[in-house]
Amino acid sequence: MDTFVQAPADETLMLAYAGGDSVAFSELYGRHRARLFHYLLGQLRDRPLAEELFQDIWQKVIHARSGWTPEAAFSTWLFRIAHNRLNDHWRAARHRPPAPADADERTARLADNCTPELLAEEQAQRRQLRQALAELPVEQQEVVLLRLEQELSLEEIAQITGVGRETVKSRLRYAMDKLRARLNE
């Protein structure tokens, strides 16, 4: 005698997911992703935009899981979220001003900040800065990195390094003077 195991209903899976079962979410996603994406693509006729809204909708499902109750079929609820997200998109699109007629021309005139020459120059500057930092005394390196990279206040740096605020301030000033001089050579 063959036993037939029936797959759990969407609503059962959603309740399990709300309870923390991530496998249940994977099953729901697998069941509904293609239909949902095709619905969005049919409405939008723009694949990248459909992909963006698709992600938004699943994020809404994830965020709403704890409050979900099976008042309607899961698929009805999912497509209601999609419907509302599409309405939000169309409403926002109506309020956006149209692109100027010369938008392509304006874009073409923008400087390309990603040329190989500019990238090589930036890399050389970073290398020069790292080298200049390495030449500083350790105490000065530390305050520079804590201040500039970690964006900590002088007081926070003083607490971390165990020295007074004024000592941190003078180390930072001396370090910056040395770095400026070294980088201007």
Side-chain angles (χ1 to χ4, degrees):
M1 181 172 153
D2 291 332
T3 57
F4 178 71
V5 177
Q6 188 172 358
D10 290 343
E11 295 73 27
T12 303
L13 288 170
M14 187 60 185
L15 287 170
Y17 175 55
D21 183 353
S22 61
V23 174
F25 175 79
S26 296
E27 178 71 23
L28 280 171
Y29 181 80
R31 288 181 186 180
H32 296 281
R33 70 176 180 213
R35 284 181 51 222
L36 178 62
F37 185 74
H38 290 295
Y39 169 70
L40 294 170
L41 192 57
Q43 293 291 313
L44 298 165
R45 298 194 186 342
D46 179 340
R47 187 173 201 85
L49 183 57
E51 289 170 355
E52 180 182 333
L53 268 60
F54 179 82
Q55 293 300 323
D56 288 351
I57 292 161
W58 284 108
Q59 284 297 319
K60 288 182 186 305
V61 169
I62 290 167
H63 290 295
R65 72 180 177 268
S66 62
W68 186 80
T69 54
E71 295 170 4
F74 173 80
S75 59
T76 303
W77 180 70
L78 177 66
F79 279 84
R80 184 68 183 166
I81 293 172
H83 171 81
N84 290 341
R85 183 61 185 92
L86 282 166
N87 282 342
D88 291 345
H89 166 74
W90 295 126
R91 194 174 11 256
R94 278 195 304 270
H95 295 293
R96 283 189 196 118
D102 63 343
D104 290 336
E105 195 178 305
R106 290 182 186 189
T107 303
R109 286 193 308 245
L110 292 175
D112 185 4
N113 294 331
C114 201
T115 64
E117 295 82 12
L118 286 174
L119 291 174
E121 185 179 328
E122 286 176 13
Q123 191 174 27
Q125 287 173 345
R126 282 193 299 274
R127 189 173 37 253
Q128 188 180 12
L129 178 59
R130 280 193 309 270
Q131 194 173 11
L133 271 169
E135 294 171 3
L136 291 175
V138 175
E139 299 83 15
Q140 291 177 6
Q141 283 180 30
E142 184 178 32
V143 295
V144 167
L145 294 175
L146 289 171
R147 181 72 175 134
L148 299 181
E149 287 185 357
Q150 302 303 316
E151 299 178 357
L152 297 176
S153 69
L154 297 178
E155 291 78 15
E156 291 169 319
I157 296 169
Q159 288 176 349
I160 291 168
T161 58
V163 298
R165 181 186 185 283
E166 291 304 313
T167 302
V168 169
K169 192 174 176 181
S170 66
R171 285 180 183 173
L172 189 58
R173 186 180 64 247
Y174 287 130
M176 295 306 288
D177 289 345
K178 288 177 186 176
L179 287 174
R180 272 189 214 95
R182 176 71 166 87
L183 294 175
N184 286 331
E185 290 177 355

